[in-house]
Amino acid sequence: MGSEILKILVVDDEKDIVDLVSARLARERYQVVTAFDGEEALERVRSADPDVVILDLVMPKLNGLEVLKRLREDPSGKWRPVIIVSANSEMESIKKCYDLEADLYLTKPTTMENLVKGVKTMISLIPLRIN
């Protein structure tokens, strides 16, 4: 992954959360792209081609599960890590996300340190992933 600036897509319908996460990731020298609903998230993936997606589950238009499903069915075949950040801590929800090939599931509230560690871990795995 060299020295290029990596791009992170942050998707949540709560603007305060998007702003908080975006500011923290920008301090880590990531380029941040944002979306506030599922449809906008899919459009941003197409237009911005992010390296990692941070995705809430409960959103308008398309929920996070549907966004995750569509990302994994992407005809381009490009794999990108998806980190789910959700207030839902029920095992059924977590299992459903992993069944749809989420890479990491963090429950809200989570610390910014945990989120940044998750992003760094996912980025470190990108070169190991065979498309």
Side-chain angles (χ1 to χ4, degrees):
M1 299 279 352
S3 62
E4 76 267 22
I5 296 176
L6 296 171
K7 196 179 299 178
I8 313 294
L9 172 60
V10 178
V11 187
D12 198 304
D13 60 328
E14 294 183 46
K15 186 178 184 322
D16 292 348
I17 291 175
V18 170
D19 291 348
L20 182 70
V21 172
S22 297
R24 181 67 169 90
L25 292 172
R27 282 203 312 272
E28 295 291 325
R29 305 282 189 252
Y30 296 117
Q31 182 181 350
V32 180
V33 180
T34 61
F36 298 96
D37 65 57
E39 287 180 1
E40 190 179 20
L42 293 172
E43 198 288 313
R44 292 287 187 281
V45 167
R46 285 189 293 275
S47 64
D49 191 26
D51 298 290
V52 177
V53 177
I54 297 172
L55 182 62
D56 184 25
L57 290 181
V58 180
M59 296 182 298
K61 298 186 183 176
L62 285 178
N63 67 37
L65 283 173
E66 185 61 30
V67 172
L68 175 60
K69 184 174 184 247
R70 291 187 190 189
L71 288 175
R72 293 305 184 229
E73 293 171 347
D74 183 356
S76 76
K78 179 173 180 175
W79 174 82
R80 57 180 49 86
V82 176
I83 299 171
I84 302 295
V85 182
S86 176
N88 188 341
S89 61
E90 294 175 16
M91 287 308 296
E92 183 179 323
S93 176
I94 295 168
K95 182 184 180 323
K96 195 177 290 184
C97 287
Y98 282 124
D99 286 347
L100 290 171
E101 299 181 25
D103 297 284
L104 182 62
Y105 192 109
L106 299 172
T107 54
K108 292 178 187 176
T110 188
T111 65
M112 283 297 113
E113 289 71 27
N114 277 345
L115 187 57
V116 169
K117 281 181 191 173
V119 168
K120 289 180 177 180
T121 299
M122 292 302 106
I123 288 169
S124 73
L125 297 174
I126 291 172
L128 304 176
R129 184 73 184 206
I130 299 170
N131 284 328

